Amino acid sequence: MPPKNLHLVSLGCTKNLVDSEVMLGKLSDYTLSDDPGDADVIIVNTCGFIEAAREESISTLLDLHQQRKENSVLVMSGCLSERYKEQLQEEMPEIDIFTGVGDYERIDELITSKRSQFSPEVYLLGEDTPRVITGSRYHAYVKIAEGCNQTCSFCAIPGFKGKLHSRTLASILAEVRHLAKAGFWDISFISQDSSSWGRDMNMQDGLIELIDAVEKIEGIRSARILYLYPSTTTFELIDRIADSPLFQTYYDMPIQHIDDGMLRTMKRGFGESKTRALLERMREQENAFIRTSVIAGHPGESEEQFEKLCTFMEDFGFDRFNTFHYSNEEDTTAYTMEQIPQAIIDTRAERLGAIAEISTSASLEKLIGQTIDLVIDGESSEHEYLLSARPLSWAVEIDGEILVNDTNDLPIEYGQAYQAHITEIAGDTLLATLVS
């Protein structure tokens, strides 16, 4: 029997990426193909978070349908498929198999039987789940939980991902040990609300226990935690991350707004005072890297509240922050509120985006003259004589790259860490010389 080809597209967040890697693990007898026209099976793991993500998912599926060969199988999986399963099955005859967020480990069975399936439980991988790590020879994501107990006014995710469901510490550690043995030494721990991990198992500050345990695993040299939530992040956690010899002093905590009234409207479960206190505690830590996100144009946001947000984002000095245009989502409490005109949302988002650019530039300029640890990922797309590298204190892909333009004749091995001296900035990119 000739080998079968598989083309997989993973859209949306890194949590989706982990689920896509599980599907690759279950379909390991297929040969991966970059050309959808050659594929016997095409899978799109969709994102259904906001309107722009939904549009990208549908567009990708329709485009791949146009490129597919006769008798191939087109599969729609993931959040968008889960969220609108009845509607999409009626309106998209182009799709052969529909599946949501509960059957990633059964994808091989669904393809063999050519049937659609939506299990009632969200899939949570275990330590024995086969998985193909993509995109890196040294870094891997580890998903520690699914679902979310928060009730943010703008977010529909709990409606189709369910309540918080944490993996056990033993399961997480078993996976990390397996990854270490396979040569992966840099780990990013992810979930929808990572600082709540373990609360459904009566652990109040579980991440501290996780840090304590991961530090003892041989072969892991670097780690970070993504997606903290202000109401479940403690001073003790902030300090423990900073004190760790292994975990990067990296704080990724979306605040969404700073005004007390808007935070109440957003149903964020905390206020301006605690948000500021947490951020100040983070900023006190040596070599802290702080990332956040904010929403422009949420219903009820007055001009005065928006100006307050802008002033705060200008003054605090975040290393990175993302701005989301408010997206009016069904099944959220903000959906029926009086909406702000789209033109105003766009203008506010553009203003915050300009502030973010200035904030990022200031963060980059602070590194000039410093010697840092970075890992070389490969040849840069900018030029064949430049190497693309990432400081270990930055998260993979989202925080950018540093270009190495002088190796000092050191032997180069992709996926290995080096010390480098940051020499200058060219446009919005730092340049570095390897030291050792």
Side-chain angles (χ1 to χ4, degrees):
M1 188 176 192
K4 290 189 174 183
N5 294 330
L6 168 67
H7 182 79
L8 187 146
V9 179
S10 189
L11 300 174
C13 64
T14 54
K15 297 179 286 294
N16 252 23
L17 176 63
V18 172
D19 296 329
S20 295
E21 292 174 343
V22 168
M23 289 193 284
L24 290 177
K26 294 298 292 184
L27 299 171
S28 58
D29 55 335
Y30 283 74
T31 300
L32 291 180
S33 173
D34 290 331
D35 183 359
D38 285 339
D40 299 287
V41 173
I42 301 171
I43 301 174
V44 180
N45 198 17
T46 60
C47 177
F49 181 38
I50 57 176
E51 183 178 357
R54 295 196 295 274
E55 290 176 353
E56 181 186 23
S57 293
I58 297 298
S59 175
T60 300
L61 283 156
L62 294 177
D63 183 54
L64 290 171
H65 172 64
Q66 292 297 320
Q67 299 179 58
R68 65 193 287 199
K69 67 181 183 181
E70 190 176 357
N71 297 321
S72 63
V73 176
L74 180 58
V75 182
M76 181 180 188
S77 68
C79 295
L80 180 61
S81 186
E82 181 74 36
R83 187 176 178 186
Y84 298 104
K85 47 181 172 280
E86 291 87 3
Q87 179 182 344
L88 290 169
Q89 288 181 88
E90 290 179 5
E91 297 179 358
M92 294 195 70
E94 300 88 352
I95 310 302
D96 300 301
I97 298 173
F98 292 88
T99 184
V101 296
D103 297 292
Y104 295 113
E105 204 168 357
R106 300 187 188 94
I107 190 66
D108 52 338
E109 301 169 19
L110 299 184
I111 290 171
T112 299
S113 62
K114 292 188 178 179
R115 76 179 192 276
S116 298
Q117 180 168 304
F118 292 88
S119 293
E121 296 294 325
V122 176
Y123 172 72
L124 187 63
L125 63 83
E127 63 272 21
D128 297 322
T129 301
R131 178 179 159 207
V132 176
I133 308 299
T134 60
S136 178
R137 64 191 73 196
Y138 67 92
H139 171 268
Y141 293 101
V142 171
K143 191 187 291 192
I144 61 176
E146 274 290 4
C148 182
N149 285 348
Q150 311 300 339
T151 57
C152 302
S153 63
F154 50 84
C155 184
I157 289 176
F160 56 88
K161 280 289 187 102
K163 293 291 187 180
L164 177 70
H165 181 195
S166 299
R167 290 176 67 182
T168 65
L169 180 58
S171 175
I172 295 168
L173 296 179
E175 183 182 7
V176 174
R177 291 190 191 99
H178 174 75
L179 289 167
K181 287 180 181 178
F184 295 94
W185 53 266
D186 183 35
I187 304 294
S188 294
F189 294 94
I190 57 173
S191 70
Q192 194 64 41
D193 169 13
S194 293
S195 48
S196 289
W197 174 76
R199 291 196 170 209
D200 54 330
M201 301 184 296
N202 297 317
M203 302 166 69
Q204 288 307 302
D205 219 339
L207 287 183
I208 292 178
E209 292 185 43
L210 177 66
I211 292 169
D212 291 342
V214 171
E215 286 179 346
K216 299 172 184 175
I217 296 178
E218 184 177 352
I220 301 300
R221 295 155 52 192
S222 173
R224 66 200 56 74
I225 300 166
L226 306 183
Y227 318 128
L228 305 177
Y229 191 92
S231 67
T232 52
T233 297
T234 63
F235 290 158
E236 290 77 15
L237 175 60
I238 291 169
D239 293 345
R240 182 65 184 89
I241 291 172
D243 291 340
S244 174
L246 176 69
F247 279 73
Q248 302 297 326
T249 310
Y250 187 99
Y251 303 108
D252 177 12
M253 186 178 76
I255 62 170
Q256 310 305 2
H257 216 282
I258 196 60
D259 179 78
D260 247 338
M262 277 310 303
L263 291 172
R264 284 194 297 272
T265 299
M266 290 177 165
K267 300 180 71 174
R268 294 288 283 169
F270 57 93
E272 176 182 347
S273 178
K274 180 178 180 182
T275 301
R276 287 180 179 269
L278 290 171
L279 290 170
E280 288 297 337
R281 187 68 158 244
M282 293 173 182
R283 190 159 60 176
E284 291 169 2
Q285 311 302 328
E286 185 177 0
N287 298 320
F289 188 100
I290 307 176
R291 165 180 275 280
T292 194
S293 66
V294 293
I295 294 175
H298 186 285
E301 184 186 51
S302 68
E303 197 65 41
E304 180 183 5
Q305 290 169 322
F306 174 69
E307 288 298 331
K308 182 176 182 178
L309 174 61
C310 288
T311 299
F312 179 74
M313 302 309 289
E314 288 171 334
D315 293 345
F316 183 81
F318 288 97
D319 293 284
R320 304 286 189 278
F321 77 84
N322 291 340
T323 301
F324 289 94
H325 297 63
Y326 171 76
S327 178
N328 198 27
E329 298 298 315
E330 301 169 288
D331 305 320
T332 65
T333 55
Y335 184 69
T336 56
M337 295 175 65
E338 183 178 351
Q339 303 295 304
I340 291 176
Q342 190 62 48
I344 294 177
I345 294 175
D346 294 343
T347 299
R348 290 180 180 180
E350 184 177 354
R351 169 114 174 259
L352 285 165
I355 295 170
E357 288 184 13
I358 295 170
S359 186
T360 297
S361 294
S363 175
L364 294 174
E365 287 172 3
K366 286 190 292 188
L367 288 176
I368 297 174
Q370 293 191 28
T371 298
I372 65 170
D373 294 326
L374 52 72
V375 60
I376 295 182
D377 286 313
E379 186 179 291
S380 170
S381 60
E382 297 288 328
H383 195 282
E384 61 181 317
Y385 295 130
L386 297 174
L387 297 175
S388 176
R390 174 182 61 91
L392 286 173
S393 58
W394 294 5
V396 173
E397 293 186 352
I398 61 173
D399 292 325
E401 67 172 347
I402 288 178
L403 297 180
V404 175
N405 61 354
D406 186 350
T407 64
N408 257 330
D409 295 325
L410 291 170
I412 299 302
E413 185 176 351
Y414 297 159
Q416 290 301 320
Y418 295 80
Q419 278 201 323
H421 185 71
I422 307 299
T423 57
E424 60 182 304
I425 187 168
D428 58 358
T429 305
L430 292 170
L431 302 180
T433 298
L434 296 187
V435 175
S436 64

